[in-house]
Amino acid sequence: MTDSELSFDVPALVSLSRQIEMHLERLIVQGALKSGQRLSEPDIAKRFRTSRSPVREALRRLEQVGLVVIEPRRGASVKAPNERDISDMLAIREALEGMAARLAAERAETEDIARLEACIADPAATDEQSSLALVDFHEALAQAAHNPALQAMLRGSLNLFRMVRAIPVDHHARKVRAAEEHAAVVAAIAARDPDAAEAAARRHIRTMRAQLLEAGGGLTEEERSAAAGVAFDATADADDDEALTRPTNGARRSTRGGALGNGRDDPAG
Protein backbone atom coordinates (compact mmCIF):
# COMPACT_ATOMS: atom_id res chain seq x y z
CA MET A 1 0.00 0.00 0.00
CA THR A 2 1.27 3.46 -0.82
CA ASP A 3 1.65 6.31 1.65
CA SER A 4 -1.33 8.09 0.09
CA GLU A 5 -3.51 5.01 0.55
CA LEU A 6 -2.42 4.64 4.15
CA SER A 7 -3.53 8.18 4.99
CA PHE A 8 -7.10 8.40 6.16
CA ASP A 9 -8.91 11.61 6.97
CA VAL A 10 -12.07 11.35 9.04
CA PRO A 11 -14.35 14.31 9.77
CA ALA A 12 -13.82 15.57 13.31
CA LEU A 13 -17.50 15.22 14.20
CA VAL A 14 -17.70 11.53 13.26
CA SER A 15 -18.12 9.27 16.29
CA LEU A 16 -15.25 7.02 17.34
CA SER A 17 -17.16 3.85 16.48
CA ARG A 18 -17.87 5.24 13.02
CA GLN A 19 -14.19 6.15 12.57
CA ILE A 20 -13.20 2.58 13.46
CA GLU A 21 -15.86 1.22 11.11
CA MET A 22 -14.68 3.37 8.21
CA HIS A 23 -11.05 2.51 8.87
CA LEU A 24 -11.65 -1.25 8.97
CA GLU A 25 -13.97 -1.10 5.96
CA ARG A 26 -11.25 0.59 3.92
CA LEU A 27 -8.68 -2.04 4.90
CA ILE A 28 -11.10 -4.87 4.09
CA VAL A 29 -12.19 -3.67 0.66
CA GLN A 30 -8.58 -2.83 -0.28
CA GLY A 31 -7.52 -6.35 0.69
CA ALA A 32 -5.17 -5.31 3.52
CA LEU A 33 -7.37 -7.32 5.89
CA LYS A 34 -7.83 -10.68 4.20
CA SER A 35 -10.93 -12.82 3.84
CA GLY A 36 -11.23 -15.04 6.91
CA GLN A 37 -8.84 -12.97 9.02
CA ARG A 38 -9.79 -12.77 12.71
CA LEU A 39 -10.60 -9.34 14.17
CA SER A 40 -9.76 -9.22 17.86
CA GLU A 41 -11.81 -6.67 19.82
CA PRO A 42 -9.15 -6.16 22.53
CA ASP A 43 -6.37 -5.64 20.01
CA ILE A 44 -8.41 -3.25 17.88
CA ALA A 45 -9.37 -1.32 21.02
CA LYS A 46 -5.69 -0.99 21.97
CA ARG A 47 -4.85 0.05 18.43
CA PHE A 48 -7.38 2.89 18.61
CA ARG A 49 -6.73 3.64 22.31
CA THR A 50 -10.36 3.11 23.29
CA SER A 51 -12.63 0.72 25.14
CA ARG A 52 -14.15 -2.32 23.46
CA SER A 53 -17.66 -0.82 23.21
CA PRO A 54 -17.06 1.36 20.10
CA VAL A 55 -15.11 -1.49 18.52
CA ARG A 56 -17.99 -3.90 19.10
CA GLU A 57 -20.43 -1.36 17.64
CA ALA A 58 -18.23 -0.86 14.56
CA LEU A 59 -17.91 -4.62 13.98
CA ARG A 60 -21.67 -5.09 14.25
CA ARG A 61 -22.26 -2.44 11.59
CA LEU A 62 -19.67 -4.07 9.34
CA GLU A 63 -21.52 -7.34 9.82
CA GLN A 64 -24.75 -5.68 8.69
CA VAL A 65 -23.17 -4.59 5.38
CA GLY A 66 -21.69 -8.03 4.75
CA LEU A 67 -18.00 -7.36 5.38
CA VAL A 68 -17.64 -9.12 8.74
CA VAL A 69 -18.95 -12.33 10.27
CA ILE A 70 -19.51 -12.53 14.05
CA GLU A 71 -19.77 -16.03 15.52
CA PRO A 72 -20.67 -16.98 19.11
CA ARG A 73 -17.58 -17.72 21.22
CA ARG A 74 -15.32 -17.11 18.22
CA GLY A 75 -15.74 -13.40 17.67
CA ALA A 76 -15.43 -11.42 14.47
CA SER A 77 -13.60 -12.19 11.24
CA VAL A 78 -13.50 -10.74 7.75
CA LYS A 79 -16.18 -12.40 5.62
CA ALA A 80 -14.76 -15.12 3.38
CA PRO A 81 -17.04 -15.28 0.34
CA ASN A 82 -17.49 -18.79 -1.02
CA GLU A 83 -18.29 -19.87 -4.57
CA ARG A 84 -22.05 -19.66 -3.97
CA ASP A 85 -21.75 -16.11 -2.59
CA ILE A 86 -19.74 -15.02 -5.62
CA SER A 87 -21.92 -16.80 -8.15
CA ASP A 88 -25.17 -15.45 -6.69
CA MET A 89 -23.86 -11.90 -6.36
CA LEU A 90 -22.54 -11.78 -9.92
CA ALA A 91 -25.74 -13.30 -11.32
CA ILE A 92 -27.63 -10.40 -9.77
CA ARG A 93 -25.09 -7.85 -10.95
CA GLU A 94 -25.23 -9.23 -14.50
CA ALA A 95 -28.93 -8.43 -14.71
CA LEU A 96 -28.65 -5.08 -12.93
CA GLU A 97 -25.57 -3.85 -14.77
CA GLY A 98 -27.09 -4.90 -18.07
CA MET A 99 -30.07 -2.72 -17.21
CA ALA A 100 -27.75 0.10 -16.09
CA ALA A 101 -25.86 0.00 -19.40
CA ARG A 102 -29.13 0.02 -21.37
CA LEU A 103 -30.40 3.04 -19.44
CA ALA A 104 -27.02 4.77 -19.73
CA ALA A 105 -27.19 4.44 -23.52
CA GLU A 106 -30.52 6.25 -23.35
CA ARG A 107 -29.87 8.76 -20.56
CA ALA A 108 -26.13 9.34 -20.07
CA GLU A 109 -24.90 12.88 -20.44
CA THR A 110 -21.60 13.88 -22.01
CA GLU A 111 -19.99 14.15 -18.56
CA ASP A 112 -21.13 10.61 -17.68
CA ILE A 113 -19.52 9.16 -20.79
CA ALA A 114 -16.32 11.10 -20.16
CA ARG A 115 -16.15 9.69 -16.63
CA LEU A 116 -16.70 6.14 -17.89
CA GLU A 117 -13.90 6.57 -20.41
CA ALA A 118 -11.61 7.89 -17.66
CA CYS A 119 -12.32 4.78 -15.56
CA ILE A 120 -11.08 2.33 -18.19
CA ALA A 121 -7.92 0.97 -16.58
CA ASP A 122 -4.56 1.07 -18.29
CA PRO A 123 -3.32 -2.56 -18.57
CA ALA A 124 0.12 -1.28 -17.55
CA ALA A 125 -1.24 0.05 -14.24
CA THR A 126 -0.49 -1.65 -10.94
CA ASP A 127 -2.91 -4.26 -9.59
CA GLU A 128 -4.12 -1.83 -6.92
CA GLN A 129 -4.73 0.95 -9.47
CA SER A 130 -6.57 -1.45 -11.77
CA SER A 131 -8.72 -2.76 -8.93
CA LEU A 132 -9.74 0.77 -7.96
CA ALA A 133 -10.49 1.61 -11.60
CA LEU A 134 -12.61 -1.54 -11.87
CA VAL A 135 -14.84 -0.49 -8.99
CA ASP A 136 -14.89 3.15 -10.16
CA PHE A 137 -16.09 2.01 -13.59
CA HIS A 138 -19.00 0.03 -12.20
CA GLU A 139 -19.99 2.89 -9.90
CA ALA A 140 -19.79 5.32 -12.83
CA LEU A 141 -21.96 3.00 -14.92
CA ALA A 142 -24.62 2.93 -12.21
CA GLN A 143 -24.58 6.73 -11.99
CA ALA A 144 -24.78 7.10 -15.78
CA ALA A 145 -28.10 5.22 -15.75
CA HIS A 146 -29.70 8.10 -13.83
CA ASN A 147 -31.99 5.71 -11.95
CA PRO A 148 -31.71 6.09 -8.15
CA ALA A 149 -33.57 2.84 -7.44
CA LEU A 150 -31.20 0.88 -9.65
CA GLN A 151 -28.19 2.60 -8.07
CA ALA A 152 -29.40 1.58 -4.62
CA MET A 153 -29.76 -2.06 -5.68
CA LEU A 154 -26.28 -2.13 -7.19
CA ARG A 155 -24.83 -0.45 -4.11
CA GLY A 156 -26.23 -3.28 -1.98
CA SER A 157 -23.76 -5.79 -3.45
CA LEU A 158 -20.86 -3.37 -3.84
CA ASN A 159 -18.93 -4.47 -0.74
CA LEU A 160 -18.86 -8.11 -1.76
CA PHE A 161 -18.06 -7.04 -5.33
CA ARG A 162 -15.05 -5.14 -4.01
CA MET A 163 -13.89 -8.12 -1.94
CA VAL A 164 -13.81 -10.58 -4.85
CA ARG A 165 -11.01 -8.52 -6.42
CA ALA A 166 -8.62 -10.18 -3.97
CA ILE A 167 -9.28 -13.69 -5.29
CA PRO A 168 -6.04 -14.86 -6.96
CA VAL A 169 -6.31 -15.00 -10.76
CA ASP A 170 -4.02 -14.09 -13.65
CA HIS A 171 -4.02 -10.36 -12.86
CA HIS A 172 -2.48 -9.14 -16.11
CA ALA A 173 -4.81 -11.17 -18.31
CA ARG A 174 -7.77 -10.07 -16.20
CA LYS A 175 -6.75 -6.39 -16.43
CA VAL A 176 -6.38 -6.53 -20.22
CA ARG A 177 -9.68 -8.36 -20.68
CA ALA A 178 -11.54 -6.04 -18.30
CA ALA A 179 -10.21 -2.93 -20.06
CA GLU A 180 -11.36 -4.28 -23.42
CA GLU A 181 -14.80 -5.17 -22.08
CA HIS A 182 -15.22 -1.82 -20.36
CA ALA A 183 -14.28 -0.06 -23.59
CA ALA A 184 -16.94 -2.08 -25.45
CA VAL A 185 -19.59 -1.03 -22.93
CA VAL A 186 -18.63 2.64 -23.18
CA ALA A 187 -18.52 2.54 -26.98
CA ALA A 188 -22.06 1.16 -27.11
CA ILE A 189 -23.28 3.78 -24.63
CA ALA A 190 -21.61 6.58 -26.61
CA ALA A 191 -23.22 5.21 -29.79
CA ARG A 192 -26.61 5.35 -28.03
CA ASP A 193 -27.16 1.63 -28.72
CA PRO A 194 -29.09 0.21 -25.72
CA ASP A 195 -29.10 -3.39 -26.99
CA ALA A 196 -25.35 -3.45 -27.60
CA ALA A 197 -24.64 -1.71 -24.28
CA GLU A 198 -26.69 -4.23 -22.29
CA ALA A 199 -25.15 -7.19 -24.13
CA ALA A 200 -21.60 -5.88 -23.54
CA ALA A 201 -22.23 -5.26 -19.82
CA ARG A 202 -23.75 -8.70 -19.30
CA ARG A 203 -20.90 -10.36 -21.20
CA HIS A 204 -18.37 -8.56 -19.01
CA ILE A 205 -19.94 -9.79 -15.76
CA ARG A 206 -20.29 -13.35 -17.11
CA THR A 207 -16.60 -13.36 -18.03
CA MET A 208 -15.65 -12.07 -14.57
CA ARG A 209 -17.81 -14.75 -12.94
CA ALA A 210 -16.18 -17.50 -15.00
CA GLN A 211 -12.67 -16.25 -14.18
CA LEU A 212 -13.34 -16.04 -10.45
CA LEU A 213 -15.03 -19.41 -10.17
CA GLU A 214 -12.36 -21.05 -12.29
CA ALA A 215 -9.80 -19.61 -9.86
CA GLY A 216 -11.54 -21.50 -7.08
CA GLY A 217 -14.01 -18.97 -5.70
CA GLY A 218 -13.51 -18.43 -1.96
CA LEU A 219 -10.56 -19.38 0.20
CA THR A 220 -8.77 -22.72 0.32
CA GLU A 221 -8.36 -24.38 3.71
CA GLU A 222 -4.70 -23.37 3.71
CA GLU A 223 -5.61 -19.74 3.04
CA ARG A 224 -8.24 -19.83 5.80
CA SER A 225 -5.68 -21.16 8.27
CA ALA A 226 -3.13 -18.54 7.27
CA ALA A 227 -5.69 -15.74 7.59
CA ALA A 228 -6.79 -16.96 11.01
CA GLY A 229 -3.17 -16.79 12.14
CA VAL A 230 -2.87 -13.04 11.47
CA ALA A 231 -3.69 -10.92 14.49
CA PHE A 232 -3.59 -7.23 15.28
CA ASP A 233 -0.33 -5.85 16.64
CA ALA A 234 -1.69 -4.11 19.70
CA THR A 235 1.75 -2.86 20.72
CA ALA A 236 2.28 -0.83 17.58
CA ASP A 237 1.86 2.89 17.35
CA ALA A 238 -1.73 3.94 16.78
CA ASP A 239 -0.79 5.85 13.63
CA ASP A 240 0.81 2.79 12.03
CA ASP A 241 -1.80 1.46 9.59
CA GLU A 242 0.22 -1.62 8.73
CA ALA A 243 0.02 -2.71 12.37
CA LEU A 244 -3.52 -3.87 11.67
CA THR A 245 -2.28 -6.62 9.37
CA ARG A 246 1.02 -7.56 10.96
CA PRO A 247 1.33 -11.19 12.19
CA THR A 248 1.99 -11.35 15.92
CA ASN A 249 3.46 -14.28 17.87
CA GLY A 250 2.54 -16.77 15.17
CA ALA A 251 -1.19 -16.65 15.89
CA ARG A 252 -1.93 -16.60 19.61
CA ARG A 253 -4.11 -19.46 20.82
CA SER A 254 -7.02 -19.40 23.20
CA THR A 255 -7.39 -22.01 25.94
CA ARG A 256 -9.83 -23.84 23.65
CA GLY A 257 -7.19 -24.16 20.91
CA GLY A 258 -8.73 -21.66 18.48
CA ALA A 259 -6.70 -18.91 16.84
CA LEU A 260 -8.73 -16.11 18.36
CA GLY A 261 -5.87 -13.70 18.78
CA ASN A 262 -7.25 -12.37 22.08
CA GLY A 263 -6.33 -15.10 24.54
CA ARG A 264 -9.93 -15.54 25.77
CA ASP A 265 -12.57 -18.19 25.21
CA ASP A 266 -15.32 -15.61 24.77
CA PRO A 267 -14.17 -12.58 22.78
CA ALA A 268 -17.48 -10.78 23.31
CA GLY A 269 -17.03 -10.43 27.04
Side-chain angles (χ1 to χ4, degrees), residues 196-211:
E198 178 176 2
R202 282 179 168 271
R203 186 164 53 249
H204 170 55
I205 299 297
R206 283 198 301 271
T207 301
M208 181 188 300
R209 177 178 179 274
Q211 288 176 325

Side-chain angles (χ1 to χ4, degrees), residues 42-104:
D43 285 351
I44 298 173
K46 288 182 181 179
R47 166 68 174 77
F48 286 94
R49 298 188 178 97
T50 185
S51 68
R52 292 173 61 175
S53 293
V55 174
R56 188 176 295 118
E57 184 178 346
L59 291 174
R60 285 172 178 164
R61 284 201 296 264
L62 289 171
E63 181 184 35
Q64 291 172 359
V65 298
L67 290 179
V68 164
V69 175
I70 300 177
E71 301 175 280
R73 303 191 66 79
R74 289 178 62 83
S77 60
V78 178
K79 181 179 175 65
N82 56 35
E83 289 189 12
R84 182 62 180 270
D85 293 331
I86 295 168
S87 181
D88 288 350
M89 181 271 292
L90 290 177
I92 293 170
R93 287 197 75 93
E94 179 186 337
L96 295 179
E97 294 211 12
M99 183 182 298
R102 170 173 287 277
L103 290 175

Side-chain angles (χ1 to χ4, degrees), residues 13-173:
L13 297 180
V14 172
S15 68
L16 180 57
S17 65
R18 177 60 177 148
Q19 290 182 46
I20 296 171
E21 176 192 355
M22 294 167 68
H23 197 76
L24 295 178
E25 178 181 4
R26 179 175 60 90
L27 293 177
I28 291 170
V29 300
Q30 289 182 348
L33 291 174
K34 305 300 183 184
S35 294
Q37 183 171 337
R38 297 288 174 79
L39 302 172
S40 164
E41 284 185 15
D43 285 351
I44 298 173
K46 288 182 181 179
R47 166 68 174 77
F48 286 94
R49 298 188 178 97
T50 185
S51 68
R52 292 173 61 175
S53 293
V55 174
R56 188 176 295 118
E57 184 178 346
L59 291 174
R60 285 172 178 164
R61 284 201 296 264
L62 289 171
E63 181 184 35
Q64 291 172 359
V65 298
L67 290 179
V68 164
V69 175
I70 300 177
E71 301 175 280
R73 303 191 66 79
R74 289 178 62 83
S77 60
V78 178
K79 181 179 175 65
N82 56 35
E83 289 189 12
R84 182 62 180 270
D85 293 331
I86 295 168
S87 181
D88 288 350
M89 181 271 292
L90 290 177
I92 293 170
R93 287 197 75 93
E94 179 186 337
L96 295 179
E97 294 211 12
M99 183 182 298
R102 170 173 287 277
L103 290 175
E106 298 171 349
R107 303 179 180 181
E109 300 176 357
T110 302
E111 294 79 6
D112 296 319
I113 296 174
R115 184 183 176 201
L116 283 165
E117 290 173 340
C119 290
I120 298 175
D122 180 353
T126 66
D127 287 342
E128 288 182 2
Q129 290 171 332
S130 295
S131 293
L132 292 172
L134 172 65
V135 173
D136 287 344
F137 178 86
H138 290 273
E139 291 178 335
L141 178 60
Q143 292 175 9
H146 292 279
N147 185 314
L150 180 58
Q151 283 183 257
M153 286 187 280
L154 282 166
R155 195 176 301 118
S157 63
L158 184 59
N159 283 328
L160 182 56
F161 186 63
R162 286 170 169 166
M163 290 178 70
V164 301
R165 300 174 314 184
I167 295 174
V169 295
D170 184 338
H171 287 293
H172 181 70

